[in-house]
Amino acid sequence: MIQKISIVVDSIDRNEGSGAKANIAFIESLAVSGYALTVYHYTRKEIHLPSTICISIPEKKMDVLYALSRIQRILARWTGININPVIETLFGFSFTYFNDAKSIRKQLQQIHASDTDLMITLSQGASFRPHYAVLQLPQLHSKWLAYVHDPYPFSFYPSPYNWLERGHKQKEAFFLAVSEKASHSGFPSLMLKEWMGKHFPGFLSTGVIIPHQLGASVDTSTVLPDYFRKDAFTILHAGNLMKQRDPSGLIKGFKLFLTTHP
């Protein structure tokens, strides 16, 4: 019976985007369900969530990866030359990514399999640093649930998101290993599980559906901005305005709706 759950997450700062908000809501839902929660987060500042032990993971600075990441940043700032695309093409990820994952791994090395009943790694945006860290800790694989919130890597996004990112082969190899090593995997929808299972069949046998959560508390007292008109048709575009997310289809659809329902 699962009682103690460990969660590894990039950030629990609500201001760091929708991904952080979704992860916090998931954590809050587990907390109110009565589980004993310990959250290891890489926010790098002290943040506390109700009924939860929160441990901030420090950045590992006495390391060659840290030095290389800072050299790359200084070079870009002083010369305007960004060598990160070359680094990602060669290695799949940036030096900063590798150092962040190594920092997380160092913190998690202190955990024994007997210390937790389940370890959940949560992703945020295009970052799967917690997954990368736990992948290198085989003693935790039998307790590991790897949660996947979106298709990954970008090369496996469905049409019309057709692109190959830098280092996509290394990223695909990384996620193949995740699908094979994690004893459990989680997805917000059955469609995403089946889509990822086409590329990584291991997810089809280990995957469970854990929908995005609303959260323990929702603030409904927000004052709407002046430009929001309740008597008008309003589109709130919550994602990045990439070319594949053209909102004109919504406008055409609404106009078509008005011809039937004036």
Side-chain angles (χ1 to χ4, degrees):
M1 182 178 180
I2 296 175
Q3 295 179 330
K4 298 180 295 183
I5 298 179
S6 300
I7 296 178
V8 192
V9 61
D10 278 281
S11 174
I12 53 172
D13 184 346
R14 297 180 189 273
N15 296 320
E16 287 198 12
S18 59
K21 288 181 173 65
N23 288 338
I24 292 169
F26 180 41
I27 293 167
E28 289 176 339
S29 293
L30 291 174
V32 299
S33 298
Y35 295 105
L37 291 185
T38 302
V39 175
Y40 299 87
H41 63 96
Y42 199 56
T43 321
R44 282 168 285 178
K45 61 182 177 180
E46 292 298 324
I47 298 179
H48 299 283
L49 300 175
S51 304
T52 302
I53 298 172
C54 296
I55 299 175
S56 177
I57 301 173
E59 184 178 21
K60 187 176 174 63
K61 295 184 177 181
M62 301 300 292
D63 191 273
V64 65
L65 287 169
Y66 178 84
L68 289 172
S69 68
R70 291 308 179 269
I71 291 172
Q72 181 263 317
R73 291 185 185 182
I74 293 172
L75 180 66
R77 187 184 308 129
W78 288 357
T79 68
I81 300 173
N82 182 15
I83 63 171
N84 204 50
V86 177
I87 295 170
E88 289 197 25
T89 300
L90 291 174
F91 304 108
F93 303 92
S94 66
F95 289 138
T96 299
Y97 187 102
F98 284 127
N99 189 65
D100 291 346
K102 192 172 183 179
S103 299
I104 297 171
R105 186 188 71 193
K106 182 181 178 182
Q107 180 73 49
L108 300 181
Q109 283 176 332
Q110 305 172 30
I111 304 175
H112 298 284
S114 59
D115 295 336
T116 186
D117 297 318
L118 184 66
M119 170 162 286
I120 303 174
T121 51
L122 299 177
S123 49
Q124 181 174 330
S127 168
F128 285 82
R129 289 169 173 84
H131 299 59
Y132 199 98
V134 175
L135 181 61
Q136 300 172 65
L137 298 171
Q139 68 272 23
L140 298 175
H141 289 178
S142 63
K143 304 290 183 71
W144 182 17
L145 187 152
Y147 192 82
V148 183
H149 72 287
D150 266 340
Y152 185 85
F154 288 153
S155 53
F156 288 156
Y157 259 66
S159 180
Y161 299 90
N162 299 319
W163 67 71
L164 291 178
E165 58 188 321
R166 292 184 294 270
H168 68 95
K169 288 297 183 182
Q170 296 94 323
K171 291 179 174 68
E172 291 168 14
F174 155 52
F175 232 59
L176 175 63
V178 170
S179 70
E180 294 174 342
K181 300 299 182 181
S183 297
H184 314 280
S185 57
F187 303 87
S189 70
L190 178 60
M191 181 177 290
L192 180 58
K193 172 188 168 181
E194 292 176 342
W195 177 262
M196 291 298 291
K198 290 181 180 178
H199 305 286
F200 308 109
F203 286 140
L204 296 176
S205 58
T206 64
V208 295
I209 309 305
I210 307 175
H212 288 308
Q213 304 295 297
L214 187 60
S217 60
V218 178
D219 184 7
T220 58
S221 62
T222 302
V223 178
L224 295 174
D226 294 336
Y227 58 79
F228 185 86
R229 290 173 49 198
K230 293 184 178 180
D231 60 341
F233 174 63
T234 301
I235 296 176
L236 173 62
H237 201 292
N240 293 324
L241 273 174
M242 295 183 285
K243 65 180 181 179
Q244 295 91 347
R245 295 177 177 177
D246 184 355
S248 61
L250 283 171
I251 299 171
K252 293 177 181 178
F254 182 67
K255 288 181 177 179
L256 181 62
F257 169 78
L258 287 180
T259 61
T260 308
H261 304 281

